[in-house]
């Protein structure tokens, strides 16, 4: 109770007790820019290495991991990417856990992941999402923005409802 979980650019996810004592730290495959989600005794976080992790909240043990995107310097990711490796499949935004346990996260696509770590569906965003996914109060649609100026509304089955083009 009261434990705080946070990621760092040093590639570790940390758990700190209410009194400030380090409970555990676990090394992941890349820097962590986003806040983790905590749900049902698990901590869920994405890394800039392109992996989504599910860890035991009590111990920091990795229970499953998923690489939802095609990370690599080839194909469409290379054409759309930037940075030293020319890709943007990194998971920069915070994961969102819905009431039914589905995990939603965004990268070059919007992903729905089962509580067991399997991809349920993905929706191509035609650009990298730096933001976290938002779930509408009714729980029936998701909203996410991309670096290319698109704001998408997608239903929880992965179908586009609308898109707004915005300049930035």
């Amino acid at each position: 109770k009261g434990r705080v979980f946070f990621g760092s650019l040093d590639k570790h996810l940390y758990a700190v007790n209410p009194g400030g004592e380090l409970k555990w730290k676990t090394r992941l495959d890349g820097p962590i820019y986003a806040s983790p989600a905590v749900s049902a005794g698990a901590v869920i976080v994405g890394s800039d290495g392109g992996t989504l992790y599910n860890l035991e909240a009590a111990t920091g043990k990795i229970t499953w991991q998923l690489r939802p995107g095609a990370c690599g310097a080839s194909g469409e990711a290379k054409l759309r990417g930037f940075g030293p490796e020319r890709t943007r499949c990194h998971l920069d935004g915070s994961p969102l856990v819905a009431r039914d346990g589905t995990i939603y996260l965004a990268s070059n696509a919007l992903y729905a992941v089962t509580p067991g770590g399997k991809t349920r569906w993905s929706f191509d965003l035609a650009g990298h999402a730096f933001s976290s996914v938002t779930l509408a109060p009714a729980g029936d649609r998701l909203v996410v923005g991309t670096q290319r100026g698109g704001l998408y509304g997608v239903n929880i089955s992965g179908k586009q409802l609308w898109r707004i083009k915005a300049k930035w």
Side-chain angles (χ1 to χ4, degrees):
K1 286 188 170 183
R3 190 169 293 154
V4 175
F5 304 95
F6 63 94
S8 173
L9 297 182
D10 72 0
K11 302 181 181 182
H12 286 87
L13 183 68
Y14 292 87
V16 177
N17 286 330
E21 308 86 19
L22 177 67
K23 175 69 176 171
W24 55 258
K25 71 178 186 177
T26 301
R27 185 173 173 86
L28 305 180
D29 71 344
I32 303 163
Y33 289 95
S35 300
V38 181
S39 177
V43 182
I44 305 154
V45 69
S47 74
D48 213 41
T51 305
L52 179 67
Y53 291 91
N54 189 85
L55 300 92
E56 291 179 356
T59 66
K61 178 184 174 194
I62 298 170
T63 55
W64 57 258
Q65 54 190 335
L66 172 68
R67 290 184 64 82
C71 299
S74 64
E76 192 169 333
K78 182 177 181 180
L79 297 174
R80 293 190 304 197
F82 58 92
E85 71 284 84
R86 302 294 301 156
T87 66
R88 291 308 301 166
C89 56
H90 308 286
L91 304 177
D92 301 323
S94 298
L96 181 146
V97 182
R99 287 185 197 124
D100 67 357
T102 300
I103 302 158
Y104 297 102
L105 68 148
S107 180
N108 280 353
L110 175 60
Y111 297 95
V113 178
T114 68
K118 305 294 181 200
T119 302
R120 185 170 286 153
W121 55 258
S122 65
F123 173 81
D124 185 14
L125 294 171
H128 186 70
F130 285 120
S131 67
S132 301
V133 180
T134 300
L135 183 64
D140 60 346
R141 62 193 179 283
L142 305 151
V143 178
V144 66
T146 72
Q147 70 182 16
R148 291 200 169 175
L151 182 67
Y152 291 87
V154 178
N155 71 19
I156 58 170
S157 298
K159 304 296 182 216
Q160 181 174 323
L161 299 170
W162 48 263
R163 178 177 181 218
I164 298 171
K165 291 183 182 181
K167 293 183 180 181
W168 59 284

